[in-house]
Amino acid sequence: MRGAMWPGDSKWEVTSTGSLEPASLKKLTLCYICEHLGTLCNIVPAAPRTFCYRMPPDHKIQSTNNAEELRIDLEKLSKSSNESDLDKFKSNVTENSSIDELVIPINVGSDTKSDSLIIRFKNPDPWDERNLIPYSAFDVPNYGKVYEKSNSADPPADDSKLQDIFSKNKFNFKFRFPVYLSPHTAAMLLEELDRCGMLNDSVLSLFNNSQILLYEVNIHRCGEHITGEGLRFLRHNNLHKLSLHFLNNVAPGTIARSLNTWTRRNLAVLSLQHFNPPTPIPHAVLPENQLCMLTGQLPFLLELDLCRNEYLGTDELSFILKCLPVLRKLDISNCCLIYTLEPLLQVSFQLRHLNISNLRLQNVCVAVTVLRTLVKLRYFDCRHVSFGDETEQKFHEMLTEPTFAPDLEVLDVAFHLQLSQEVLTKFLSTHPKIRFVGLIIVPLCADFNTSKWPSVKFLREIGPVGDTGLVNTLSDCLTHYKNSSGLVSSILQQINSISAIANTPQPILVANILRMMELHQKLTHVQVAGTACLYNLTTGSLGPAINPLLLRSVVHVTIHAMNSHISQQFEPPNVESRPLFQQLQKNGFQLLCCDQVLHNVSFNQYWVARMALHALHGFNDESIDLMAVGICSILAAKLTNEQTASLGSNLFMTKLLMLVENRINTCNADITLQFTLSALWNLTDESPNTCGIFITREGLKVLIKLLNSFPDNTSVETKVLGLINNVAEVPMLRIELLRSPIVSLLREQLKSEHIAVSYFAAGISAHLLCADKDAWAVRKNLPYQELREELGEAVMSWESPKDEMVAYKSFHPFLPLLHYSDCPQVQLWALWALHHVTVKNSKYYCPMLIREEIPSLLERLYEESSSSAAYVSEFAGMLLELVRQYKLEQCDVDAATVTLVWQSKRQRQRKQQ
C-alpha cells in the first residue's frame, strides 16, 4: 500500500510495514516542478483576440474580440460600399490580431459578382520579454508549500487576492526551457498539479503544447476551477482515458468540441463524476441532450462513470447505452433521477462491471428481471439500493440463483439490512468464482462464519473493540470505500471510538486517514471525523513514536481542513450545521495545542496563530479559549515583528483583555489567564502599533487591577511586568506610564525577593528614566532621583539565576539604554540583561550581538566609564570576553572543518592513484 501522504509531503511514501521511504526520482522531480512552477515557467497575460479596424469616413472605429462579429460587420460593409471604400478599409486595418488571416466573401456594389476580401494580421510574439510577468507575483496555493513555511511572510496565508489571482485573470504558462515529457510522465505531472489544488485554466495552458502529449487526463479535485477555455489543451492530444470530476462550469457540448477526431474514435474510458453543468441539460428532445450527444460521439467507449450526475435520468441513460455497443463497465451510482434498470437491457450481453449503489428503484421485479440478463457480470456493487415500499426478498432470492452472473467475482451488499446468513451461504455455494464480499452494516451477517471460504475476502460489519486484526480491517475498509463519503465518515467514527484507547502507533492507519481526508476535502463531516481520529492516534504517549515526517503530514492536513472550512464556522449553510463546523475547529486546536507539534513540527505558524485568534473571537467555549490562547502564547514568540503587529488588531486585543477581566471578576488565576498574559506579552514584543492598541483599549488599567487582585502570584506579576516593559520600550507611550500609582508600584516591585519580578520592574524603570525631561517635568511629584538610585541598588543586589528568565528576538530595545550616559543605572540594567541571556546561551546571543554591532559600543563603555560607574565597565568587559570566546570557538570549528575537507580530498586522491 504505497502513496504520498499529503500534498507537499509527496517526497515520502508509507510502505506496507508502516515505515517511510523516499519517493522515486521521477516523483521527486514532479513535486519540485509543482512547488516551483512560477520559477520554472514564463507567465504572460492571455492576450484578448481583439480585431480593430477603421470603417469608411462615415463610420467610427470599431473593436471586437469575436471573429464572427468582425465577419458580420465586414459583410455589412461590403454590401453598402464601393470598391474605393473597400480599398480604404484594407489600408486602415490595425494589425494587432492573434490570427494570421481572415477570408470574407463580399459583393461589390450592385454587381452580383462575388469576391473575397483577405485580411492578413500580424501575429506578435506573446512571449516577448516585455510581456513576461515576474514569477514572484505568482505564489500558487500549493498546500504543502504554503503549510511548510514556518515564516509565513512568503506567502502571506491570509492574502486572498494573491491566492485567487488565477481565478480573476487568464494567463499563459510556458516552460522557460525546452521540456520533453513522455505521455506517462506528463499525465503524472497533471495529476500532481491536480492533487495539490493548482489546476485552473491558466495552469492548464502549460499542456497546450505539442511537446507535451497526453494519452490520459485525470482531473479529480480542481474541476470546479476549470472552464471550457481551459479544456482547449485536449484538442492536440490523442486520449485513451478522460476523467473529469466536479465540472461545474463546463457543458457536455464543450467537452465534445474539445476532443479531436482520433480521441472520439478511440476513447476507451470516460469519467464525469459529480458532473453539474452550469445550466440544466434539456430533457424534452433526447438527441439535443448534450450529455447524450457527447457519449454518442464515442462509439468505442469501454468504461463509463456517471456517478452523482444530477441530470442523468432514465431516458438519457437509455439513449447513451444505445450508442455504446462495446461498453464493459458502467457506474451510475447516486444518480437520483434513475428509477429503473431497464436501460441496461441494451448492454446486457457485454456488461461486466456494474455499480448501482444508492439508487432508489421503484420496482424490484423489473430490477431483478434486468439483472438476470447480465450473464457476463463480474463486479456488482449494489450498496444501499432501495426499492421503495417493496422488500428486498426477491432481490436476495435472485442472488442465490446459480444462473445469476455465474462468473461473479466481487459483490458488495453493504447496508442490506435484511440480508440473512442463509442467503449469503447459498450465494457463496452457487458462485465459486467469488473473491470479495462487502458486508459493512449488514447486521444479520455480523457474526457470519467465514472460515469455510478461505479464498474469499470479507469486509464485515465492524465488531466490538479489541477484536483481533481490527486495525487491518478498518484500514481495508477505508481503502475499499474511499470514494463513498458516507461510508468513510462512518468508518472514521468507528476508528475514533477505539483509537482513544490505542496504545501502539498505527502509521499505516494514520496515513490512510490522511488520504481519505484529502479525497473528501470539501465534506465537513469527513474532516470532523478524520481530525478526531488523528488526535487520538498521534497525541499523548503516541506522539513521540510517530515518524516526524508523518506527524508533519498530520499537522498539515489538519491546518488545511480548518482553513478550508473557517468561513463556514461563522456563516454555515444552515443553522443546524454550525456545531459541525465548530467541532472541526475544536478538533484541530486539540491536535495543534501540543508542545511536540508547536515546537518540533514545521508549519505556517502565522496562519495557525491567526486562526486561533479568529476562533477566540468567534466561539463562546472555555475549552477553545484555553487552546487558542495557548497556541498564540507559544507561536507569537516565533513570529516576525511584522506578523505580530498584524495579529494585534483591535478585535483580537479586545477579546484577550476581556478574558483577563473575566478572571479578575471571578478571582480565578487559572491556566487560561496565564496563557492569555503570555500571548499579550509576546504580541506586544517590539510592536509599537500593538502596544498603542493595548493602551487605547485601556489595557494598562486592566493590568493594574489584575496585580491588585493577585498580589502574591509571582507568575502573574512576572508576565504583567514583562508586558508593561514592552509598552515602556515605545518612547511615545512612556508618558502613559509616568503616573504616581505605576511608579510607586515599580519601586515596590524592585525590592521583590523574586528576581524575575524585580528584573522586569527594573526594565520598566530604566525605560522611564530615559523618557524626555519634559515628561518628568509635567509630573512634578514623581520621584525621579529616588527611582534612579533604587534601580541601581536592585541590579547590584541580584545573583544570576540558574535558568534563563527571558528570551529576546533582538537587542534593538537595549541600544537607546546603552547610549543613555546621563544615567549609569540605566546602562547597568541593560548590560546585566545582555550578560544574563548571553552567558546562558552564547551560541544564540553572541551572533546577535555581533550582527547588531554592539561589541563596538561595549568597547567604548569599557574604556570611557567613569570611576563612579565602574560596574558599567565591569559588565561591558565581561560581555566582550564572551564575544571573544565565541569567536575563538568559531575559528576552531572552521579550522576543524578545513582539516576534514583536506583529509577527505587526500583520501580521494589516493584512491584514484
Side-chain angles (χ1 to χ4, degrees):
M1 181 185 66
R2 286 179 172 268
M5 295 177 292
W6 185 248
D9 291 319
S10 54
K11 302 165 189 165
W12 299 91
E13 296 178 336
V14 181
T15 65
S16 58
T17 61
S19 61
L20 296 180
E21 290 184 359
S24 65
L25 180 60
K26 180 183 290 188
K27 185 73 173 177
L28 291 174
T29 304
L30 295 177
C31 180
Y32 179 86
I33 293 174
C34 293
E35 291 184 357
H36 301 84
L37 191 65
T39 309
L40 299 174
C41 294
N42 287 330
I43 307 171
V44 299
R49 300 173 63 87
T50 302
F51 312 91
C52 297
Y53 52 95
R54 185 179 296 276
M55 298 291 281
D58 57 336
H59 293 76
K60 296 181 180 180
I61 296 177
Q62 303 293 326
S63 178
T64 178
N65 59 3
N66 188 296
E68 186 60 29
E69 292 179 8
L70 175 60
R71 187 188 304 274
I72 294 172
D73 287 345
L74 292 178
E75 288 178 351
K76 292 179 180 179
L77 170 67
S78 67
K79 296 178 181 178
S80 60
S81 305
N82 53 34
E83 293 185 19
S84 60
D85 289 332
L86 289 174
D87 290 338
K88 293 179 182 179
F89 171 79
K90 294 178 185 179
S91 62
N92 288 317
V93 173
T94 303
E95 297 181 348
N96 73 335
S97 173
S98 58
I99 63 172
D100 293 329
E101 66 178 29
L102 184 62
V103 181
I104 304 174
I106 61 173
N107 294 321
V108 180
S110 59
D111 194 350
T112 57
K113 179 176 131 181
S114 297
D115 198 356
S116 295
L117 172 63
I118 301 178
I119 306 173
R120 287 185 171 82
F121 297 95
K122 182 180 178 182
N123 189 14
D125 183 10
W127 303 105
D128 187 277
E129 289 293 333
R130 293 170 296 178
N131 297 327
L132 298 183
I133 297 175
Y135 70 85
S136 58
F138 293 86
D139 283 312
V140 181
N142 177 353
Y143 301 145
K145 183 179 178 183
V146 171
Y147 296 151
E148 178 60 21
K149 298 293 183 183
S150 298
N151 182 355
S152 59
D154 54 337
D158 61 330
D159 191 345
S160 59
K161 294 182 179 179
L162 185 62
Q163 298 280 0
D164 297 337
I165 188 170
F166 294 109
S167 62
K168 297 178 181 178
N169 301 282
K170 180 69 171 65
F171 302 90
N172 287 330
F173 281 62
K174 183 179 181 181
F175 281 116
R176 294 175 180 265
F177 45 84
V179 174
Y180 301 94
L181 301 178
S182 69
H184 177 68
T185 305
M188 290 180 63
L189 174 60
L190 180 65
E191 291 176 20
E192 184 71 11
L193 290 168
D194 176 55
R195 191 172 64 87
C196 293
M198 297 169 62
L199 281 186
N200 49 34
D201 290 352
S202 296
V203 179
L204 282 175
S205 66
L206 187 66
F207 296 89
N208 198 11
N209 185 341
S210 59
Q211 295 178 346
I212 302 179
L213 298 178
L214 294 161
Y215 290 161
E216 63 177 83
V217 171
N218 297 293
I219 301 176
H220 292 167
R221 295 177 179 85
C222 301
E224 63 181 2
H225 305 302
I226 296 172
T227 66
E229 187 174 358
L231 295 180
R232 288 182 178 179
F233 78 99
L234 297 176
R235 295 177 184 174
H236 73 270
N237 291 286
N238 297 332
L239 303 177
H240 295 288
K241 178 181 179 181
L242 179 60
S243 182
L244 304 172
H245 296 178
F246 295 99
L247 285 184
N248 299 330
N249 303 306
V250 182
T254 304
I255 300 176
R257 290 190 294 271
S258 300
L259 304 179
N260 60 32
T261 303
W262 192 97
T263 299
R264 296 178 185 179
R265 294 176 179 175
N266 296 274
L267 190 69
V269 180
L270 176 63
S271 178
L272 297 175
Q273 288 191 18
H274 297 268
F275 184 59
N276 300 309
T279 55
I281 299 172
H283 293 264
V285 183
L286 292 179
E288 295 181 3
N289 186 308
Q290 296 186 46
L291 184 58
C292 297
M293 293 176 65
L294 169 63
T295 53
Q297 298 178 41
L298 310 172
F300 297 103
L301 207 60
L302 297 177
E303 301 180 10
L304 178 61
D305 184 354
L306 298 175
C307 172
R308 297 186 183 275
N309 191 309
E310 295 184 2
Y311 299 107
L312 181 66
T314 303
D315 294 336
E316 288 78 14
L317 179 62
S318 178
F319 183 90
I320 289 172
L321 297 182
K322 183 179 180 181
C323 302
L324 303 176
V326 295
L327 190 68
R328 300 287 185 271
K329 180 178 178 180
L330 178 64
D331 186 343
I332 52 174
S333 58
N334 295 280
C335 292
C336 56
L337 297 182
I338 296 180
Y339 304 109
T340 179
L341 298 181
E342 289 182 279
L344 299 182
L345 293 173
Q346 301 179 79
V347 292
S348 60
F349 294 104
Q350 70 259 21
L351 203 61
R352 298 179 181 179
H353 185 294
L354 178 62
N355 186 346
I356 59 171
S357 60
N358 290 287
L359 290 190
R360 294 173 294 181
L361 303 179
Q362 293 180 340
N363 193 317
V364 65
C365 296
V366 173
V368 168
T369 301
V370 173
L371 292 173
R372 283 176 176 148
T373 65
L374 307 180
V375 293
K376 294 187 178 181
L377 203 61
R378 295 182 180 179
Y379 178 103
F380 185 38
D381 187 343
C382 54
R383 289 177 285 117
H384 216 287
V385 174
S386 62
F387 301 98
D389 297 332
E390 302 183 53
T391 63
E392 302 175 2
Q393 181 178 358
K394 293 183 179 180
F395 182 79
H396 295 158
E397 291 176 356
M398 177 202 67
L399 295 178
T400 63
E401 298 173 2
T403 56
F404 167 70
D407 297 327
L408 196 64
E409 299 177 1
V410 176
L411 175 67
D412 197 330
V413 288
F415 289 93
H416 280 252
L417 306 181
Q418 301 176 18
L419 184 67
S420 64
Q421 295 190 29
E422 292 76 13
V423 171
L424 182 58
T425 301
K426 191 171 182 180
F427 166 78
L428 293 171
S429 301
T430 56
H431 293 79
K433 295 183 179 181
I434 197 72
R435 293 292 176 267
F436 174 90
V437 178
L439 295 174
I440 298 295
I441 312 183
V442 183
L444 298 181
C445 297
D447 55 350
F448 181 72
N449 184 8
T450 61
S451 59
K452 296 181 180 180
W453 293 275
S455 61
V456 181
K457 180 178 181 179
F458 294 88
L459 279 185
R460 303 172 54 189
E461 173 70 13
I462 299 173
V465 175
D467 280 0
T468 303
L470 180 57
V471 171
N472 293 333
T473 300
L474 293 171
S475 191
D476 289 343
C477 289
L478 284 177
T479 303
H480 184 77
Y481 295 113
K482 61 183 180 181
N483 294 322
S484 175
S485 59
L487 272 175
V488 167
S489 179
S490 177
I491 295 169
L492 289 175
Q493 291 173 11
Q494 292 283 351
I495 294 174
N496 187 42
S497 67
I498 67 164
S499 59
I501 61 172
N503 52 12
T504 57
Q506 304 291 343
I508 298 178
L509 183 58
V510 169
N512 217 348
I513 293 173
L514 295 182
R515 294 190 190 98
M516 298 306 108
M517 295 181 68
E518 179 185 355
L519 285 172
H520 305 283
Q521 297 176 24
K522 301 177 183 179
L523 302 179
T524 309
H525 60 282
V526 174
Q527 302 300 311
V528 170
T531 50
C533 293
L534 293 177
Y535 169 74
N536 289 324
L537 290 169
T538 58
T539 57
S541 60
L542 294 177
I546 296 293
N547 188 292
L549 294 171
L550 185 59
L551 183 60
R552 184 181 65 178
S553 291
V554 170
V555 173
H556 289 181
V557 71
T558 301
I559 296 173
H560 178 60
M562 296 171 68
N563 183 70
S564 299
H565 299 269
I566 193 169
S567 61
Q568 296 166 322
Q569 163 191 335
F570 306 107
E571 298 179 2
N574 50 70
V575 177
E576 293 76 12
S577 62
R578 182 183 176 108
L580 190 64
F581 298 116
Q582 293 181 346
Q583 186 62 45
L584 174 58
Q585 303 298 317
K586 189 173 183 177
N587 291 351
F589 288 130
Q590 284 180 329
L591 191 147
L592 295 173
C593 193
C594 166
D595 286 341
Q596 183 182 8
V597 170
L598 295 176
H599 291 294
N600 300 328
V601 178
S602 175
F603 60 91
N604 191 311
Q605 295 162 344
Y606 171 77
W607 198 335
V608 173
R610 191 170 185 82
M611 283 198 301
L613 288 173
H614 275 293
L616 190 66
H617 176 73
F619 290 113
N620 186 20
D621 187 310
E622 290 189 359
S623 62
I624 291 184
D625 289 346
L626 173 60
M627 292 183 290
V629 294
I631 290 172
C632 289
S633 66
I634 295 176
L635 295 185
K638 300 175 180 290
L639 302 178
T640 65
N641 294 339
E642 293 76 10
Q643 292 165 344
T644 53
S646 67
L647 292 177
S649 66
N650 285 307
L651 182 66
F652 300 146
M653 185 63 68
T654 301
K655 178 61 178 181
L656 291 171
L657 291 176
M658 188 182 300
L659 289 177
V660 176
E661 288 184 310
N662 290 339
R663 266 52 188 183
I664 295 174
N665 296 333
T666 58
C667 297
N668 182 14
D670 59 2
I671 189 65
T672 301
L673 176 62
Q674 302 291 339
F675 281 144
T676 304
L677 292 175
S678 295
L680 286 168
W681 188 1
N682 289 325
L683 287 173
T684 54
D685 188 17
E686 296 189 36
S687 180
N689 290 336
T690 306
C691 291
I693 294 173
F694 174 79
I695 293 296
T696 303
R697 292 293 173 179
E698 299 186 345
L700 195 58
K701 294 182 180 179
V702 175
L703 293 189
I704 298 300
K705 188 177 180 180
L706 179 65
L707 288 176
N708 295 330
S709 300
F710 304 100
D712 299 323
N713 193 315
T714 305
S715 178
V716 170
E717 290 177 337
T718 301
K719 290 180 172 60
V720 168
L721 292 175
L723 173 54
I724 297 176
N725 185 75
N726 289 341
V727 177
E729 292 176 358
V730 185
M732 64 183 66
L733 298 179
R734 289 170 185 166
I735 188 66
E736 301 292 339
L737 301 177
L738 288 175
R739 304 179 186 277
S740 180
I742 296 178
V743 174
S744 300
L745 175 66
L746 293 176
R747 296 181 65 187
E748 178 183 350
Q749 298 294 358
L750 280 172
K751 303 172 184 178
S752 173
E753 61 181 6
H754 301 288
I755 187 172
V757 175
S758 180
Y759 172 83
F760 288 111
I764 300 170
S765 301
H767 286 291
L768 293 184
L769 290 171
C770 291
D772 295 335
K773 299 298 183 181
D774 295 339
W776 282 92
V778 172
R779 308 287 196 265
K780 298 181 180 180
N781 298 326
L782 294 181
Y784 176 86
Q785 191 63 33
E786 291 83 350
L787 181 63
R788 171 177 171 171
E789 293 176 359
E790 290 172 3
L791 171 61
E793 293 173 0
V795 176
M796 294 303 295
S797 68
W798 294 339
E799 294 183 2
S800 182
K802 295 181 180 180
D803 300 322
E804 189 177 344
M805 291 188 301
V806 65
Y808 291 103
K809 293 180 180 179
S810 73
F811 289 147
H812 291 302
F814 290 93
L815 295 177
L817 305 183
L818 294 174
H819 283 287
Y820 195 71
S821 57
D822 293 345
C823 185
Q825 292 86 349
V826 171
Q827 293 176 318
L828 174 62
W829 179 83
L831 290 170
W832 194 98
L834 293 176
H835 180 268
H836 165 67
V837 295
T838 305
V839 77
K840 300 298 182 185
N841 190 355
S842 60
K843 292 183 179 180
Y844 178 76
Y845 288 108
C846 279
M848 188 182 295
L849 287 170
I850 297 171
R851 187 168 57 251
E852 298 179 13
E853 301 180 351
I854 293 179
S856 60
L857 178 58
L858 295 175
E859 291 176 357
R860 184 172 62 82
L861 292 175
Y862 179 72
E863 296 173 356
E864 298 179 0
S865 295
S866 63
S867 58
S868 61
Y871 44 79
V872 172
S873 177
E874 180 183 351
F875 273 101
M878 289 189 293
L879 274 170
L880 288 172
E881 179 63 20
L882 290 174
V883 174
R884 188 185 68 82
Q885 292 178 2
Y886 171 78
K887 290 182 177 180
L888 289 175
E889 291 175 359
Q890 290 300 111
C891 290
D892 293 340
V893 171
D894 294 340
T897 303
V898 171
T899 303
L900 289 174
V901 172
W902 181 82
Q903 291 177 351
S904 176
K905 183 177 180 180
R906 290 287 298 169
Q907 290 177 357
R908 290 196 300 270
Q909 290 176 348
R910 290 173 183 174
K911 289 181 180 180
Q912 292 174 357
Q913 293 175 355

